[in-house]
């Protein structure tokens, strides 16, 4: 009896996971992708609700939208990386690691500054938590995925 090996068809999702170096690496890129897309959408298309929730005042609309442009752009770039390959994308991940470290530092110092004492300001820990998650994930990407992203 002859046995023939049939080629296993790979799906788009399995190719994406394989290009990332496995499920954990894929998820490490997926997390900041989803976070960036969420906050980008929130800042650009739900601006008034975001400003009210964060208690930062109507005068901040322009800066909120600028931040939303950055976040949405990053989310789109990460989504493209997920659908193609993170190979050679070290510059984007390095930039985002530095950005996340700065974001964490300034979120913490702002939360503990005189600004947080102004009436009407809602100084939450959300920016500290978000930037911390993004920083940890990017440190993982920069170290564990170095063989892929520096290719």
């Amino acid at each position: 009896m002859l046995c023939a090996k049939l080629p296993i068809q790979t799906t788009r999702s399995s190719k994406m996971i394989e290009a990332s170096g496995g499920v954990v690496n894929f998820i490490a890129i997926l997390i900041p992708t989803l976070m960036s897309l969420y906050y980008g959408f929130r800042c650009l298309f739900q601006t008034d609700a975001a400003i009210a929730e964060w208690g930062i005042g109507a005068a901040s609309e322009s800066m909120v939208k600028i931040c939303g442009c950055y976040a949405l752009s990053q989310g789109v770039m990460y989504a493209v990386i997920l659908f193609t390959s993170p190979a050679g994308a070290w510059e984007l991940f390095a930039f985002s690691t530095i950005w996340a470290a700065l974001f964490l530092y300034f979120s913490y110092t702002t939360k503990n500054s005189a600004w947080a004492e102004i009436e009407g300001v809602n100084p939450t820990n959300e920016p500290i938590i978000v930037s911390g998650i993004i920083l940890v994930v990017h440190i993982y990407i920069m170290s564990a995925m170095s063989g892929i992203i520096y290719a």
Side-chain angles (χ1 to χ4, degrees), residues 51-118:
I51 289 171
E53 179 186 336
W54 299 326
I56 53 179
S60 65
E61 182 175 351
S62 179
M63 291 308 298
V64 168
K65 287 184 176 179
I66 288 170
C67 291
C69 289
Y70 169 78
L72 194 62
S73 298
Q74 181 184 22
V76 168
M77 290 173 64
Y78 276 41
V80 168
I81 286 171
L82 284 175
F83 283 109
T84 57
S85 169
W90 73 269
E91 296 97 338
L92 176 61
F93 293 119
F95 173 83
S96 297
T97 303
I98 294 165
W99 174 83
L102 290 170
F103 183 25
L104 178 59
Y105 173 78
F106 286 106
S107 295
Y108 179 79
T109 57
T110 302
K111 168 85 166 74
N112 296 300
S113 71
W115 173 84
E117 305 299 322
I118 297 172

Side-chain angles (χ1 to χ4, degrees), residues 4-10:
K5 271 191 169 178
L6 297 175
I8 298 173
Q9 290 185 342
T10 55

Side-chain angles (χ1 to χ4, degrees), residues 37-50 64-65 68 72:
L37 292 172
Y38 169 77
Y39 281 103
F41 178 84
R42 185 106 167 100
C43 290
L44 292 174
F45 302 107
Q46 296 176 339
T47 310
D48 293 337
V64 168
K65 287 184 176 179
L72 194 62

Side-chain angles (χ1 to χ4, degrees), residues 7-28:
I8 298 173
Q9 290 185 342
T10 55
T11 63
R12 177 84 173 151
S13 60
S14 66
K15 288 180 183 178
M16 291 169 26
I17 291 170
E18 184 181 315
S20 298
V23 173
V24 174
N25 292 352
F26 180 82
I27 291 171

